[in-house]
Amino acid sequence: MSETNSAAEAAAPHRYTAAMAADIEARWQDFWDAEGTYEAPNPTGDLAGDPELAAKPKKFIMDMFPYPSGAGLHVGHPLGYIATDVFARHQRMTGHNVLHTLGFDAFGLPAEQYAVQTGTHPRVSTEANIENMTAQLRRLGLGHDKRRSFATIESEYYKWTQWIFLQIFNSWYDTEADRARPIDELVAQFESGARPTPDGRDWGALSAVKRADILSEYRLAYASDAPVNWSPGLGTVLANEEVTADGRSERGNFPVFKAKLRQWNMRITAYADRLLNDLDGLDWPEAIKLQQRNWIGRSEGARVDFPVDGADAITVFTTRQDTLFGATYMVLAPEHELVERIVPDAWPEGTHPVWTGGHATPAEAVAAYRKLAAAKSDVERQAEAKDKTGVFTGAYATNPVSGEKVPVFIADYVLMGYGTGAIMAVPAHDARDFAFARAFELPMRCVVEPSDDRGTDPSTWDDAFASYDAKLVNSANDEISLDGLGVVDAKAKITEWLKEHGVGEGTVNFRLRDWLFSRQRYWGEPFPIVYDEDGVAHALPESMLPLELPEVDDYSPRTFDPDDADTQPETPLSRNAEWVNVTLDLGDGPKKYRRETNTMPNWAGSCWYELRYLDPRNDEKLVDPAIEQYWMGPREGQPTGGVDLYVGGQEHAVLHLLYARFWSKVLHDLGHISSSEPFHKLYNQGMIQAYVYRDSRGIAVPAAEVEERDGKFYYQDEKVGRVLGKMGKSLKNAVTPDEICAEYGADTLRLYEMAMGPLDVSRPWDTRAVVGQFRLLQRLWRNIVDEETGAVTVVAADPDEETLRALHKAIDGVGRDMAGMRFNTAIAKVTELNNHLTKTGGPVSRSVAESLVLLVAPLAPHIAEELWRRLGHTGSVVHQDFPVADPAYVVDETVTCVVQVKGKVKARLEIPPTISDEELEAQALADPAVVAALGGAGIRKVIVRAPKLVNIVPA
């Protein structure tokens, strides 16, 4: 400590300093924990409490689940947590019973990778990380109900994750009722004959394996052999959303290949329409709604069947069925299941050499091309590549309207993830088909009349002609003609014809695919599924839950050469033979079974955690219905129910939010919860950014050690570049909240993060600017406490009118800003009031001081609690009423009105803010300066905008 600081502190021993802040904050955090200050009572059950508090309007406020990283928090992480805490505190002070807590999303890849690298069991490292993060968050003074906190790795929690999986597994989607129903009801329909089996045989005559296969086609959770994203370097498969645009794993940046594996899936596609339609009732940012709508990707069109000799028909989905007469070839995705069935032994006579890829047989050509396509991501395959690639399968299909034989190709620009994985190619009117047809010298037919002068011979065109505002041409057979029709009429006519002839029908398609739900990892929830000797899957009974993750010596997945696509997963759990092979009595006597050795993805635990917060100790039910109804049930303004406010980053716009919505809808359909949406209002906070400094090699250098000289930046006397980017340990620019708390206190950190700018906008961190909020708190302290004696200096006298106006304007403005989550402007108004009190110089009136402390309480709770106690109150500031503004003092006594003549200001009038247009006009015309400016001229028009403006136009 410097001599100057020592002298200052000796002269003012009761000054608000970092040391005093640390003492105040630690004391009040202990007090809040001991008193259960933030405990929100349930209406019933073991967490029921004060009935008077429970009778208040409820408010359920949530943050997105944090992952307990070993690196701990940097100052960017708590931005959302501080914001929800400020909002929750304001809601408590405005008469609400507020549920606000925080748990940990603790399964997943990062902990497992760390465990593999260090030999530390993932549970050990994860629990240590949770302990460290909990301590860091506690230091920020967050008002969480700690009774409700949990981690997803606790067996008491994932028992219910497994239970929900079984509810989904034991359900099917009844399209007539438009909801999920128990699978037993479907079985009853098959048994009674009310619903025929696919081959018409009696249900009782079918084998157990056959019955299981049929039900798998209906179950909302099912296992199937399907194309998956396989990452040999990670040793696991990935959902589409976990693969980057350049075809690599989001975690670890390994190459990802297409492979066919048996995996668990969730039939989220059954809910596509509801997931889309219910977005309208949610209070979410439009940008997030748009991302979800685009991901679900609803499109109306038609299904069309193209017969293939010796095989099933190729079914395509098209939104331009009106152009069917222009289809001159077809393309299947390389992974399409029909490919093997349609490939002949030899090339048909007359096959164009450019179609074969230089291979001797169709089988060789297809195999080679499939291997190439497997190494590309879906994004790469959809990119507008200059050179189109593909190969002829050797098979022909028949165009159902023209009767023409059209060649069938495979090409990587067609994906299994959209439509049926097959397209009818209309090269004259689609850019990608046009490029492919040119590359492979395929025919083109114009069926949409061009609006320019290119003519109707596509062989002379430079590009395709696509239009929804044109007439059809060259589109007729002996039974139907579309010639001369517009697109809308042509679509309707051809769709009707397709249905009449049994070769197609109008339909709706979605971009959304079923959710890949298996991971070849150790650190995840085990599936509560066992397989009998015939390979039929059986659900474990509820009495056997939780199925706990076994302790194993080797929890590393088997990884491979990252570039070796010809590999297969080997799960860590499969190596634990004692756990995998079991004898169980599932109700029909002891039998041998084999456990599922995949684990659930990290998304599973975060699909329903809002429900566990409500009733965290319930071991009998997922959640007590009365408790769920109280906190999340539908109500006025929230027709689908859900959390009142959910705050987190927009990076979860698709994955987590879509998955959680799906689980909520299934649970709602089955009668377990009253809310059909998990989160009513969503708010995306911005990001705290930081400057990244890089040397000449492009390597990040420690930001704290960079010096600025004349606008340039140097590290160890070497010039470095500076760009604004993310904050993180790897970028060597992370600032921990612990550092700021140690130097200034948690309240200062809270104020600075809230004052940096609008909450939903990203903003750069500047440690040097933090001191500004520290000084605000020092001035606040000084206005109430004598720095030399520690005595409270407030007086009983009433404040003057100017101070009353300043106070009530602040109360009104801060209250509105808090409710609207405009915390930066709320702090500006508090600062303005505090500065006013500082400038008056005299002691502050008690009533004003108490109101000021209450205004500050949501933002800086520790100093507010301390000052509230010093002002003589015994109850916590947390549950005090937020001040209410007196409208008489909010409105200015007078306002300045500008009077213009010929557009030039001639007078300024001090008038009441409530003055009428007529009164203001009369005063303006009578003003001597205005009379002089008019000089006796007549008046053509007077424009009055009370109370701020009068504009006079002379004749």
Side-chain angles (χ1 to χ4, degrees):
M1 184 183 296
S2 70
E3 292 183 13
T4 304
N5 287 343
S6 298
E9 290 190 16
H14 296 278
R15 175 172 294 171
Y16 184 80
T17 62
M20 179 181 282
D23 174 64
I24 289 172
E25 289 164 6
R27 278 192 290 107
W28 285 112
Q29 287 162 17
D30 289 343
F31 174 85
W32 293 330
D33 284 351
E35 295 295 315
T37 301
Y38 302 109
E39 292 178 359
N42 280 343
T44 186
D46 65 318
L47 296 188
D50 180 359
E52 189 175 327
L53 180 53
K56 291 183 176 182
K58 63 89 190 182
K59 195 68 76 170
F60 185 5
I61 299 166
M62 257 182 72
D63 301 276
M64 286 191 183
F65 239 177
Y67 189 86
S69 164
L73 298 176
H74 61 62
V75 292
H77 291 127
L79 177 67
Y81 306 148
I82 295 170
T84 52
D85 188 61
V86 174
F87 185 74
R89 289 175 181 276
H90 178 255
Q91 291 296 304
R92 285 191 194 93
M93 297 176 75
T94 52
H96 294 84
N97 181 23
V98 176
L99 193 167
H100 188 212
T101 191
L102 195 70
F104 296 93
D105 190 13
F107 274 128
L109 202 52
E112 186 175 291
Q113 287 181 317
Y114 180 78
V116 171
Q117 292 165 7
T118 64
T120 306
H121 193 283
R123 181 175 296 280
V124 173
S125 60
T126 299
E127 289 178 348
N129 294 342
I130 290 174
E131 186 177 351
N132 178 53
M133 191 169 173
T134 299
Q136 286 187 297
L137 292 170
R138 183 181 189 272
R139 194 170 183 181
L140 298 174
L142 302 177
H144 294 149
D145 184 345
K146 296 181 179 179
R147 304 170 304 167
R148 299 175 184 265
S149 184
F150 56 81
T152 55
I153 59 175
E154 297 166 8
S155 59
E156 297 86 355
Y157 179 80
Y158 70 73
K159 164 187 175 178
W160 294 105
T161 308
Q162 293 171 337
W163 182 88
I164 295 171
F165 173 83
L166 292 180
Q167 303 307 301
I168 299 172
F169 173 73
N170 286 320
S171 302
W172 62 292
Y173 200 86
D174 184 344
T175 54
E176 292 183 5
D178 201 22
R179 65 177 181 87
R181 293 173 60 186
I183 200 76
D184 290 345
E185 295 179 13
L186 179 66
V187 172
Q189 291 182 14
F190 282 127
E191 288 177 338
S192 69
R195 181 183 294 265
T197 61
D199 62 6
R201 287 189 291 164
D202 287 343
W203 183 254
L206 302 178
S207 68
V209 173
K210 182 62 177 176
R211 290 198 297 267
D213 287 343
I214 292 172
L215 293 179
S216 185
E217 295 298 315
Y218 290 86
R219 291 186 188 272
L220 290 177
Y222 64 94
S224 70
D225 293 315
V228 295
N229 300 305
W230 164 236
S231 174
L234 283 177
T236 191
V237 299
L238 302 169
N240 288 338
E241 300 89 346
E242 296 171 305
V243 182
T244 64
D246 56 355
R248 303 179 78 86
S249 63
E250 188 176 50
R251 178 74 61 179
N253 196 38
F254 290 107
V256 176
F257 304 93
K258 287 293 182 186
K260 185 168 277 192
L261 298 170
R262 190 161 187 83
Q263 302 291 304
W264 281 97
N265 297 273
M266 293 274 182
R267 207 178 300 276
I268 191 173
T269 49
Y271 283 83
D273 265 323
R274 285 170 61 184
L275 289 168
L276 196 62
N277 296 335
D278 288 355
L279 284 170
D280 294 338
L282 300 180
D283 185 3
W284 286 17
E286 282 304 319
I288 301 298
K289 288 186 178 182
L290 180 61
Q291 286 186 64
Q292 290 231 341
R293 288 188 181 106
N294 290 342
W295 192 261
I296 296 167
R298 186 182 194 276
S299 52
E300 294 187 15
R303 172 184 63 78
V304 186
D305 295 331
F306 285 71
V308 180
D309 291 340
D312 298 334
I314 296 174
T315 300
V316 303
F317 170 80
T318 176
T319 58
R320 289 301 303 270
Q321 60 267 39
D322 55 302
T323 64
L324 186 52
F325 281 92
T328 57
Y329 67 97
M330 300 190 74
V331 184
L332 301 179
E335 308 87 355
H336 201 290
E337 62 179 8
L338 275 180
V339 173
E340 283 100 345
R341 301 214 292 271
I342 65 174
V343 172
D345 295 332
W347 294 115
E349 187 176 348
T351 297
H352 197 310
V354 77
W355 296 2
T356 67
H359 294 279
T361 66
E364 290 175 18
V366 166
Y369 189 78
R370 278 180 149 182
K371 192 166 186 178
L372 286 173
K376 292 184 180 181
S377 72
D378 287 356
V379 174
E380 287 178 299
R381 287 169 58 170
Q382 287 181 297
E384 293 297 329
K386 184 177 180 181
D387 298 320
K388 293 295 178 189
T389 64
V391 70
F392 180 39
T393 63
Y396 285 85
T398 302
N399 184 321
V401 291
S402 68
E404 294 175 350
K405 295 285 188 181
V406 295
V408 181
F409 285 75
I410 59 171
D412 60 13
Y413 76 92
V414 176
L415 306 176
M416 281 305 299
Y418 180 77
T420 63
I423 67 164
M424 62 175 210
V426 185
H429 307 294
D430 180 273
R432 292 186 307 169
D433 295 348
F434 185 93
F436 191 91
R438 279 286 165 88
F440 288 88
E441 301 179 20
L442 289 157
M444 292 188 260
R445 180 176 299 110
C446 174
V447 293
V448 179
E449 187 174 48
S451 56
D452 52 26
D453 58 0
R454 67 175 66 199
T456 58
D457 182 2
S459 67
T460 65
W461 296 356
D462 294 325
D463 55 16
F465 173 75
S467 174
Y468 283 86
D469 186 22
K471 292 182 178 180
L472 276 293
V473 295
N474 301 324
S475 298
N477 62 26
D478 293 341
E479 299 179 10
I480 185 173
S481 174
L482 307 181
D483 291 344
L485 296 178
V487 171
V488 174
D489 292 339
K491 279 186 176 184
K493 189 170 183 179
I494 192 65
T495 301
E496 185 179 350
W497 186 90
L498 290 168
K499 187 173 183 179
E500 287 176 357
H501 287 72
V503 290
E505 63 180 346
T507 188
V508 174
N509 190 66
F510 295 91
R511 179 178 179 268
L512 181 68
R513 298 293 92 194
D514 282 346
W515 173 16
L516 177 66
F517 200 70
S518 293
R519 295 296 181 274
Q520 291 68 45
R521 315 297 305 190
Y522 166 71
W523 195 234
E525 297 92 338
F527 282 93
I529 293 289
V530 292
Y531 299 92
D532 63 24
E533 293 178 340
D534 293 322
V536 175
H538 297 265
L540 291 181
E542 187 176 333
S543 61
M544 291 187 182
L545 301 182
L547 172 59
E548 297 196 20
L549 192 64
E551 295 294 323
V552 297
D553 295 327
D554 181 10
Y555 36 76
S556 59
R558 185 181 178 193
T559 57
F560 303 87
D561 179 340
D563 296 308
D564 187 357
D566 297 324
T567 50
Q568 292 281 318
E570 179 188 290
T571 61
L573 289 179
S574 66
R575 297 193 287 266
N576 189 339
E578 186 178 339
W579 183 82
V580 173
N581 301 303
V582 290
T583 299
L584 302 172
D585 186 349
L586 301 184
D588 54 355
K591 293 182 180 178
K592 291 182 178 180
Y593 295 96
R594 175 177 52 84
R595 295 196 192 278
E596 172 63 68
T597 60
N598 288 307
T599 53
M600 299 186 199
N602 62 302
W603 308 109
S606 60
C607 274
W608 72 280
Y609 68 121
E610 70 283 355
L611 298 172
R612 191 62 175 175
Y613 283 153
L614 308 182
D615 198 9
R617 300 172 185 168
N618 196 333
D619 196 44
E620 302 299 320
K621 291 182 179 179
L622 176 74
V623 59
D624 184 290
I627 294 173
E628 188 272 336
Q629 175 70 50
Y630 173 83
W631 288 111
M632 290 184 63
R635 62 203 65 219
E636 187 177 351
Q638 298 183 16
T640 52
V643 174
D644 296 289
L645 176 66
Y646 192 38
V647 175
Q650 61 183 351
E651 65 271 16
H652 297 295
V654 172
L655 291 82
H656 158 61
L657 292 175
L658 198 62
Y659 298 157
R661 294 181 64 213
F662 166 54
W663 277 36
S664 284
K665 291 185 183 304
V666 177
L667 291 171
H668 171 76
D669 285 357
L670 298 176
H672 299 300
I673 58 176
S674 65
S675 51
S676 59
E677 285 283 343
F679 315 115
H680 172 70
K681 180 177 176 64
L682 175 68
Y683 189 99
N684 297 130
Q685 86 271 18
M687 182 188 299
I688 289 184
Q689 300 170 303
Y691 286 112
V692 183
Y693 298 89
R694 297 186 183 276
D695 61 19
S696 57
R697 301 167 298 167
I699 296 174
V701 302
E705 299 175 32
V706 172
E707 299 177 23
E708 183 177 357
R709 305 175 198 159
D710 300 324
K712 295 182 174 59
F713 304 95
Y714 296 86
Y715 172 68
Q716 297 180 348
D717 291 328
E718 179 191 348
K719 189 176 176 183
V720 293
R722 183 180 81 162
V723 294
L724 192 61
K726 287 186 177 182
M727 182 179 284
K729 189 175 179 181
S730 64
L731 298 173
K732 300 181 181 179
N733 63 353
V735 178
T736 69
D738 307 53
E739 297 172 52
I740 305 302
C741 288
E743 190 166 357
Y744 299 107
D747 281 340
T748 295
L749 174 62
R750 290 169 61 103
L751 279 173
Y752 177 65
E753 294 215 2
M754 294 299 95
M756 291 172 75
L759 183 60
D760 59 350
V761 175
S762 294
R763 73 295 300 272
W765 175 267
D766 183 0
T767 300
R768 293 170 298 180
V770 177
V771 70
Q773 299 307 316
F774 184 59
R775 287 172 181 152
L776 166 62
L777 294 180
Q778 287 184 313
R779 287 192 294 271
L780 168 66
W781 183 266
R782 245 188 331 265
N783 279 330
I784 297 173
V785 177
D786 186 291
E787 292 184 332
E788 293 184 16
T789 67
V792 171
T793 59
V794 300
V795 295
D798 292 333
D800 58 52
E801 186 161 331
E802 184 182 0
T803 298
L804 276 174
R805 291 192 177 280
L807 171 64
H808 286 278
K809 281 187 177 181
I811 292 172
D812 179 64
V814 172
R816 292 174 187 272
D817 287 344
M818 290 279 191
M821 300 182 73
R822 298 183 296 271
F823 304 128
N824 59 318
T825 54
I827 292 170
K829 293 177 175 70
V830 168
T831 303
E832 187 177 349
L833 173 61
N834 198 49
N835 288 345
H836 169 82
L837 299 176
T838 301
K839 288 173 185 174
T840 60
V844 177
S845 167
R846 169 174 286 276
S847 62
V848 175
E850 290 184 345
S851 293
L852 176 58
V853 170
L854 293 172
L855 289 181
V856 168
L859 295 155
H862 307 91
I863 193 173
E865 195 78 90
E866 181 73 13
L867 290 172
W868 191 248
R869 185 60 60 94
R870 290 188 180 224
L871 285 165
H873 300 281
T874 55
S876 170
V877 76
V878 170
H879 291 287
Q880 300 304 311
D881 290 339
F882 200 77
V884 177
D886 184 336
Y889 290 110
V890 173
V891 179
D892 287 330
E893 196 168 17
T894 62
V895 296
T896 301
C897 175
V898 172
V899 184
Q900 296 178 334
V901 179
K902 290 185 182 179
K904 293 183 179 180
V905 177
K906 295 300 180 181
R908 285 184 170 84
L909 309 177
E910 293 299 317
I911 49 93
T914 56
I915 194 169
S916 68
D917 286 359
E918 294 77 14
E919 291 175 310
L920 181 54
E921 180 178 337
Q923 282 197 33
L925 293 175
D927 186 87
V930 174
V931 172
L934 288 170
I939 298 172
R940 187 167 52 140
K941 184 190 292 185
V942 180
I943 302 168
V944 182
R945 297 286 185 266
K948 295 291 184 71
L949 176 69
V950 177
N951 194 3
I952 302 169
V953 183

